[in-house]
């Protein structure tokens, strides 16, 4: 594990580590011919809904909670029920996410005092390590070291958010780490939030599969 630099080690306040959970297994579609034109609004909405449904399938509803985690997903039929155009759109969303994250993109980290800090976040080409760069220093976080992804404000009784001081809103995505830390990102909109959560969940699942094979 990479020891976090002081400049980035206390982004999200304290947190008790959550119990490890499995990541969702998203089916890999067979290759399809490239679409001759951009997908229509209906296909785009359906693809976005697929990403959102993928996240909600990992939600914990016990006790009225809606805290989302890297939970298992048993809805492969959702993918199978999508049209060719909808699948193309969903694949495009994931491809664009990977391209932007490998290159590195600016995101905002929420601090315990309510302020936000601009950071550069990227993924390694192997899609197994998340890198957060700020003030010339970089912290590396293995996806396998993320126990839970808490989405929005409704943390309920989540152990991952016990003692969390950072104020949350509906655009928040909080990474609960095995180091008993939390890092909260404030995304630009709900669509960006859901795509971020779904893709990280999917990539973590692929890493787990590779380690188990």
């Amino acid at each position: 594990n990479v020891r976090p630099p002081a400049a980035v080690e206390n982004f999200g306040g304290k947190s008790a580590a959550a119990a490890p959970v499995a990541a969702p297994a998203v089916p890999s579609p067979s290759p399809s011919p490239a679409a001759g034109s951009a997908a229509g609004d209906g296909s785009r909405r359906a693809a976005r809904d697929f990403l959102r449904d993928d996240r909600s399938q990992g939600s914990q509803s016990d006790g009225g909670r809606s805290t989302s985690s890297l939970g298992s997903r048993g809805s492969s039929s959702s993918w199978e029920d999508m049209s060719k155009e909808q699948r193309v759109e969903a694949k495009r969303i994931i491809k664009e996410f990977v391209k932007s994250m490998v290159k590195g993109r600016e995101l905002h980290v929420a601090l315990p005092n309510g302020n936000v800090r601009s950071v550069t976040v990227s993924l390694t080409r192997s899609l197994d390590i998340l890198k957060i760069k700020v003030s010339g220093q970089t912290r590396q976080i293995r996806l396998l070291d993320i126990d839970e992804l808490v989405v929005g404000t409704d943390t309920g009784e989540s152990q991952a958010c016990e003692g969390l001081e950072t104020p949350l809103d509906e655009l928040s995505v909080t990474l609960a780490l095995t180091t008993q830390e939390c890092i909260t990102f404030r995304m630009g909109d709900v669509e960006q939030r859901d795509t971020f959560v779904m893709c990280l969940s999917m990539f973590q699942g692929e890493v787990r599969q590779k380690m188990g094979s």
Side-chain angles (χ1 to χ4, degrees):
N1 292 336
V2 177
R3 182 177 180 81
V8 297
E9 64 182 346
N10 293 316
F11 276 152
K14 297 187 297 181
S15 168
V21 290
V26 176
S28 299
S30 56
S32 58
S37 59
D41 289 342
S43 297
R44 185 171 295 105
R45 283 195 298 269
R48 302 294 184 188
D49 289 343
F50 171 76
L51 300 186
R52 187 172 294 107
D53 289 344
D54 184 89
R55 178 183 65 79
S56 63
Q57 288 290 337
S59 299
Q60 302 175 10
S61 58
D62 183 33
R65 288 184 288 155
S66 61
T67 303
S68 296
S69 65
L70 298 181
S72 61
R73 179 180 180 275
S75 58
S76 60
S77 59
S78 296
W79 179 271
E80 295 170 357
D81 292 340
M82 294 173 70
S83 68
K84 175 181 176 181
E85 290 76 14
Q86 291 164 354
R87 294 187 186 190
V88 169
E89 178 65 13
K91 289 168 63 178
R92 184 192 65 79
I93 293 170
I94 297 171
K95 182 177 180 179
E96 288 185 354
F97 179 84
V98 170
K99 183 178 179 180
S100 66
M101 288 295 291
V102 170
K103 181 178 179 181
R105 59 191 289 191
E106 182 181 359
L107 293 179
H108 294 95
V109 165
L111 304 177
N113 62 8
N115 294 332
V116 295
R117 175 179 296 173
S118 294
V119 299
T120 300
V121 180
S122 61
L123 280 167
T124 55
R125 291 188 178 276
S126 53
L127 304 179
D128 58 352
I129 296 176
L130 188 72
K131 298 190 290 185
I132 304 174
K133 183 177 181 180
V134 58
S135 301
Q137 297 179 315
T138 300
R139 176 173 182 178
Q140 299 189 38
I141 300 171
R142 298 192 313 158
L143 296 190
L144 290 178
D145 291 335
I146 301 175
D147 275 337
E148 188 174 354
L149 287 172
V150 181
V151 182
T153 61
D154 192 5
T155 58
E157 300 175 357
S158 173
Q159 290 183 335
C161 292
E162 184 177 347
L164 182 65
E165 301 171 357
T166 304
L168 306 176
D169 60 29
E170 67 171 3
L171 300 180
S172 299
V173 176
T174 301
L175 279 60
L177 309 179
T178 57
T179 55
Q180 299 189 1
E181 299 171 275
C182 278
I183 299 176
T184 298
F185 293 102
R186 185 154 295 145
M187 312 307 288
D189 53 43
V190 172
E191 180 181 295
Q192 186 184 71
R193 179 199 70 185
D194 291 343
T195 301
F196 184 81
V197 172
M198 189 279 281
C199 288
L200 286 190
S201 300
M202 182 175 65
F203 300 156
Q204 193 202 49
E206 292 176 352
V207 174
R208 288 187 185 278
Q209 284 185 339
K210 290 178 181 178
M211 292 187 64
S213 60

